[in-house]
Amino acid sequence: MEYSNLSALQLDALKEVSNIGAGNAATALSMMIGKKVDMTVPAVNVIKLEDIVEENGETEVAGTVVRVLGDISGNILLVFEKPIAENMIEKLVGSKQSPESEMGSSVLCEVANIISASYMNSISQLTNLAMAPSVPATSYDMLGAILTTTFIESNQYDEYILDIETVFLDDDTEENIGGHFYYIPMPGSLEKILKSIGIN
């Protein structure tokens, strides 16, 4: 299935599937950090990778990649801007740590593990398809570099890619708190998801 051939109905269906996963993941994150966080899926788009990189590529971020194994394989990329990553690490370990430190990296991997597992569990239940997370890997770099590497590894380094973006919102202010969550399905996984929910 070419991403550029997806219909509006198919994109809406993928957004709804992701919204269900994001709701579960937000609950898990809120429990971890003791603060209410919402995760919303503002858009599921077929766009040029270079457009995402041009728009946000220069931002320094802590990125954690979790490979999705099973029936609907792919990658999950969890991204936090540096101040948000530092706050989260401090909240969870009680001391200031850089996202690049061994402790900081370990905490971000654990956060990614819990959020990804919550997201996958809800999609698995909805689609009756098996999904399992791999061991997370974290890196600190420009967002453009992390995105490009992740999409290349998903065999999505095409002119057009599928961008299922989830934004973290502070529940009190409803502001974006500098967190993004991308589910990047491998080619072939999309058809399985759409077929399982009755949309081909």
Side-chain angles (χ1 to χ4, degrees):
M1 179 182 288
E2 291 288 324
Y3 297 116
S4 51
N5 292 340
L6 286 168
S7 68
L9 179 64
Q10 288 171 323
L11 290 171
D12 278 348
L14 291 170
K15 180 175 177 178
E16 194 47 46
V17 168
S18 290
N19 264 322
I20 291 164
N24 259 24
T27 303
L29 182 62
S30 297
M31 287 173 70
M32 270 191 94
I33 63 173
K35 178 177 175 60
K36 184 84 169 70
V37 173
D38 278 336
M39 287 170 71
T40 65
V41 181
V44 173
N45 290 316
V46 176
I47 54 177
K48 289 186 177 180
L49 176 57
E50 65 189 57
D51 289 346
I52 306 183
V53 172
E54 268 181 36
E55 192 178 330
N56 300 306
E58 298 298 307
T59 312
E60 281 195 344
V61 297
T64 308
V65 176
V66 178
R67 291 189 197 289
V68 180
L69 311 171
D71 294 332
I72 39 181
S73 58
N75 283 320
I76 281 174
L77 173 62
L78 183 65
V79 173
F80 287 109
E81 289 173 19
K82 189 175 183 181
I84 300 298
E86 287 174 338
N87 285 345
M88 194 172 293
I89 293 162
E90 186 174 4
K91 212 174 254 290
L92 292 172
V93 298
S95 62
K96 265 198 179 307
Q97 303 280 342
S98 162
E100 297 162 271
S101 69
E102 192 176 333
M103 174 67 80
S105 175
S106 174
V107 169
L108 292 175
C109 281
E110 188 54 30
V111 170
N113 238 341
I114 289 169
I115 289 179
S116 300
S118 301
Y119 184 89
M120 284 186 231
N121 284 344
S122 40
I123 291 181
S124 238
Q125 287 168 14
L126 183 73
T127 61
N128 288 318
L129 293 166
M131 299 174 84
S134 72
V135 176
T138 194
S139 60
Y140 188 76
D141 205 338
M142 298 291 185
L143 178 58
I146 293 174
L147 277 171
T148 303
T149 304
T150 309
F151 279 111
I152 288 171
E153 286 180 357
S154 297
N155 296 327
Q156 271 207 51
Y157 196 62
D158 199 355
E159 185 181 9
Y160 289 94
I161 52 104
L162 180 73
D163 172 32
I164 301 176
E165 181 188 359
T166 303
V167 175
F168 296 80
L169 300 174
D170 183 314
D171 192 54
D172 298 328
T173 62
E174 296 195 347
E175 285 181 6
N176 181 347
I177 60 172
H180 294 273
F181 178 101
Y182 297 89
Y183 170 45
I184 306 157
M186 290 277 199
S189 293
L190 270 185
E191 287 92 330
K192 291 178 184 174
I193 294 171
L194 291 167
K195 189 176 177 185
S196 74
I197 56 176
I199 295 171
N200 295 322

